[in-house]
Amino acid sequence: MLVEDNAELVDDVTAFFREEGYVMETAFTLQEAREKVGVYSYDLVILDLGLPDGDGLELLEDMQRDQPQVAVLILTARDALDVKVQGLEQGADDYITKPFHKAELNARVHSILRRKVAGGRQKLTFNEIALDLNEKKVTVYDQELSLTRKEYDLLLFLIYNKDRLLTKESIAEHLWGDHIDQADNFDFIYNHIKNLRRKIGQAGGHNYIRSMYGMGYKFVTE
Amino acid sequence: MKMRKRKFSLLTKVLFYYLLFTLVSFVISAIILQREANEHMHNILEKRFAHREHRIEHILEHEKNLDKFRHSSYANIKRVASVPPRFEPTYTDTVMVNEYTQRENVYRKKTTYMTVDGRHYKVVMTKEADELYRFKDDVYHIVLPVFLLLAMALLVANYVFSGYLLEPFRRILKQMASYKIGRAASLKHIKTSTQEFDRLKQLYERMQQRIESDYFQLKEYTENMSHELQTPLSIIQNKTEALISHNNLTSEQATQIKAIYEETQQLSRLGRALNLLTQIENQEFQNIQTVTTAPVIEDHLQKIHEMVEMKELTVEKELDPEHALTIDPGLLDILLRNLFKNALRYATRGSTIRIETGRGRMVFSNPGAQPNFESEQIFDRFSRGRGQKTLGLGLAIAKKICQVSGLDISYAYEEGRHVFRIEEKGPDSDL
């Protein structure tokens, strides 16, 4: 379920996740969210903190008491460290600050659900590529690739968001976090993409990674 | 060079002008008194001379013998042919020895002409005026000491009262000096019966309230702006990403969308940076602890090594494992990030970034072009290097962090390098 008061954003995110094959419910207010949480059972609640009728942290508190099994991802425009820390301390599984890349949100949702709901599904396979999410190892045609941590994260991010454009910005933010605004440009991402392509190619894998208009990359499945 | 004018306390000034005014009025009154005394003296003497003249006239009428007056101090009379035309009596004061007391006295001599029965006489009369002269001198003898006494008394009073009278004023000043925005303090506890100070108190309190309310409004505005901007920006960002995802874009369309996308990112960064500045200003980061800098710096270097490699930079570090700062770790993180960002951005390709810690300071330096502004301006908001597409807020944030964390940050351009020094502030360098 997505709890967010901006209709446009709700539409966007809902459409995105429905496309991904999730069942999405929405709530625009804290009150509505409370009612829905009380009636239905969700795997994950994406919770905006600044709601018109109250602070999302209140709902988080209630849910921690009544339904601690539900994963919570906090969505906030507040950049303050203490809000993040407070949310995580109160049992949220992760947070993401606005404005966010949907790809990033998607990757986080994937990883939370994998950890919390799928009981730790350990493997992710796509055609000849297989990722061991626990060991953080990648095999192509059962041949293990020696990837750096960044290359592994990049590949996982691409596969989580397959067939979507990942802008350089979103990739950079995913891999380097807050440090990314230290960069003049994101050309160094190209090096990682190049290495990743080369390593997959050497193991006989297909080149799935496409460059898109110089803006980013896409993991193309067809 | 402008000469600095010496400043005096209000009471001293008041005293000075008061004394000046008193002196002038004393002098004027002394002059008036002296004139009065002169006239009075003259009148008395004139009366006595008139009496004498009357008697002389009487004698001249009846006796016609001038021998009677010879060798007399009473009057000296001489027969003259005529009276000079339009003659006025003349007076001269002379010092002569008194016949009886043998003491020097002041005498007044009156010279006049008389006409009795058609005969003309020149009459010279002298009269002791000593007592009257003494009276005249007394005016000065009294006025001067009184003035000096008054001046002395005022000086003493100034010394004694300045402490007492100006005490509330001093306390108000102290309160004003210690005022920090966002921390209005009431002056209620400063009691004063002085009208002006009471007014000052009220005005200051009102001014303080106005500043506070303006400040909070502005702050709220900035907060709301940067906060409320984020949701629409999220939407724009997502929509542009969705647009780009279409495979059948012309390259021109792609370029335009890319531009929209990049500007959105820039806006969003701006909002976040401004928000961060406000938060730091509001002292929302209070998790203050002693943080050893070396591991934190190493961690940062680890995270930016791709960016360092991109510009073919080398990092030269000299980290003192003991060096520590008392700071919120979140703020230290942001501070380091901004300093590294700056160094990365402005370092010449292929050059060396140097980081040194130890002896209570942390120094970042990188080679680069001579800045085209004053070195202090580098910390101003929205000041940025030539042709750089940046927010220009990084160093403003760094400075703000240093301010709230009791650190001193300074910038200098030395031997072709941009050098930033961060030092712990001394305990007394607050003002």
Side-chain angles (χ1 to χ4, degrees), chain A residues 10-209:
Chain A
V10 167
D11 284 353
D12 248 14
V13 174
T14 316
F16 180 89
F17 279 106
R18 287 201 175 128
E19 232 175 86
E20 284 284 302
Y22 293 100
V23 180
M24 274 295 270
E25 290 259 359
T26 54
F28 290 94
T29 62
L30 197 59
Q31 186 56 34
E32 196 184 345
R34 275 212 179 95
E35 282 163 16
K36 286 196 171 165
V37 165
V39 179
Y40 308 102
S41 128
Y42 298 98
D43 289 331
L44 172 73
V45 173
I46 301 171
L47 179 63
D48 182 25
L49 291 187
L51 292 167
D53 56 340
D55 194 328
L57 285 174
E58 290 171 36
L59 182 70
L60 177 63
E61 216 170 284
D62 294 351
M63 286 176 59
Q64 281 307 303
R65 199 179 49 237
D66 304 331
Q67 301 168 293
Q69 80 284 358
V70 180
V72 177
L73 193 152
I74 288 178
L75 188 61
T76 175
R78 295 181 223 167
D79 209 11
L81 286 169
D82 53 332
V83 175
K84 293 174 185 172
V85 172
Q86 201 187 345
L88 292 180
E89 267 174 7
Q90 285 189 27
D93 293 87
D94 205 350
Y95 66 85
I96 187 165
T97 45
K98 287 180 190 173
F100 52 86
H101 299 276
K102 269 183 291 187
E104 182 66 34
L105 180 63
N106 186 30
R108 299 221 184 181
V109 166
H110 268 292
S111 94
I112 292 175
L113 289 179
R114 184 178 57 77
R115 260 188 283 135
K116 200 147 180 176
V117 183
R121 199 182 57 179
Q122 306 305 339
K123 296 268 184 206
L124 184 72
T125 33
F126 177 76
N127 294 350
E128 68 271 29
I129 303 170
L131 282 86
D132 183 324
L133 302 173
N134 271 12
E135 303 276 319
K136 300 194 189 300
K137 277 180 184 154
V138 180
T139 51
V140 174
Y141 294 124
D142 296 325
Q143 186 187 340
E144 194 180 316
L145 304 182
S146 71
L147 297 184
T148 62
R149 179 66 202 271
K150 287 257 158 55
E151 284 157 8
Y152 169 84
D153 286 341
L154 175 60
L155 181 62
L156 185 62
F157 191 50
L158 281 163
I159 291 182
Y160 272 152
N161 291 292
K162 50 183 182 275
D163 284 325
R164 292 183 192 289
L165 169 92
L166 295 179
T167 58
K168 286 178 189 166
E169 284 84 353
S170 66
I171 293 172
E173 243 175 75
H174 182 72
L175 295 184
W176 284 277
D178 287 338
H179 287 273
I180 201 56
D181 58 341
Q182 281 159 263
D184 275 346
N185 61 60
F186 304 122
D187 292 346
F188 51 87
I189 292 168
Y190 175 68
N191 291 329
H192 288 280
I193 296 276
K194 199 175 64 185
N195 290 337
L196 193 57
R197 275 177 181 157
R198 182 174 46 84
K199 285 177 182 175
I200 294 172
Q202 274 170 357
H206 184 72
N207 178 19
Y208 296 102
I209 307 167

Side-chain angles (χ1 to χ4, degrees), chain B residues 115-130:
Chain B
T115 309
V116 181
D117 293 339
R119 287 187 296 270
H120 306 297
Y121 302 92
K122 181 184 180 185
V123 181
V124 177
M125 293 167 289
T126 45
K127 182 95 187 93
E128 198 196 313
D130 210 45

Side-chain angles (χ1 to χ4, degrees), chain B residues 61-62 137 167 201 231 298 322 379 384 390 423-424:
Chain B
E61 252 174 46
H62 298 282
D137 288 344
E167 175 62 16
K201 230 174 77 176
T231 305
E298 292 284 4
E322 303 285 301
F379 296 112
R384 53 197 95 161
T390 72
E423 283 160 289
E424 303 246 15

Side-chain angles (χ1 to χ4, degrees), chain A residues 4-6 8-9 11-13 48 50 76-82 97-103 150 163-165 167-170 173 176 178-188 191-192 212-215 218 222, chain B residues 227 230-235 237-239 241-242 244-251 254 257-258 261-262 265 268-269 272 275 279 284-285 300 303-307 310-311 328 330-331 333-334 336-337 340-341 344-345 388:
Chain A
E4 159 69 51
D5 60 322
N6 186 296
E8 194 71 36
L9 194 61
D11 284 353
D12 248 14
V13 174
D48 182 25
T76 175
R78 295 181 223 167
D79 209 11
L81 286 169
D82 53 332
T97 45
K98 287 180 190 173
F100 52 86
H101 299 276
K102 269 183 291 187
K150 287 257 158 55
D163 284 325
R164 292 183 192 289
L165 169 92
T167 58
K168 286 178 189 166
E169 284 84 353
S170 66
E173 243 175 75
W176 284 277
D178 287 338
H179 287 273
I180 201 56
D181 58 341
Q182 281 159 263
D184 275 346
N185 61 60
F186 304 122
D187 292 346
F188 51 87
N191 291 329
H192 288 280
M212 298 287 289
Y213 309 110
M215 277 197 71
K218 194 191 253 190
E222 73 267 7
Chain B
H227 183 253
Q230 300 307 320
T231 305
L233 281 173
S234 278
I235 296 164
Q237 185 177 300
N238 286 333
K239 300 276 183 201
E241 272 183 25
I244 304 162
S245 289
H246 289 297
N247 282 318
N248 46 0
L249 288 179
T250 67
S251 73
I257 295 171
K258 196 176 159 191
Y261 185 74
E262 275 162 11
Q265 297 273 320
S268 135
R269 272 196 289 271
R272 269 185 290 187
N275 208 4
Q279 281 169 352
E284 279 177 35
F285 298 87
H300 273 260
K303 284 184 176 138
I304 59 165
H305 82 267
E306 277 100 345
M307 303 160 204
M310 274 296 292
K311 283 193 91 171
D328 182 301
L331 286 184
D333 196 55
I334 298 166
L336 289 173
R337 224 155 64 203
F340 273 121
K341 177 167 78 183
L344 281 174
R345 193 175 299 276
Q388 288 287 340

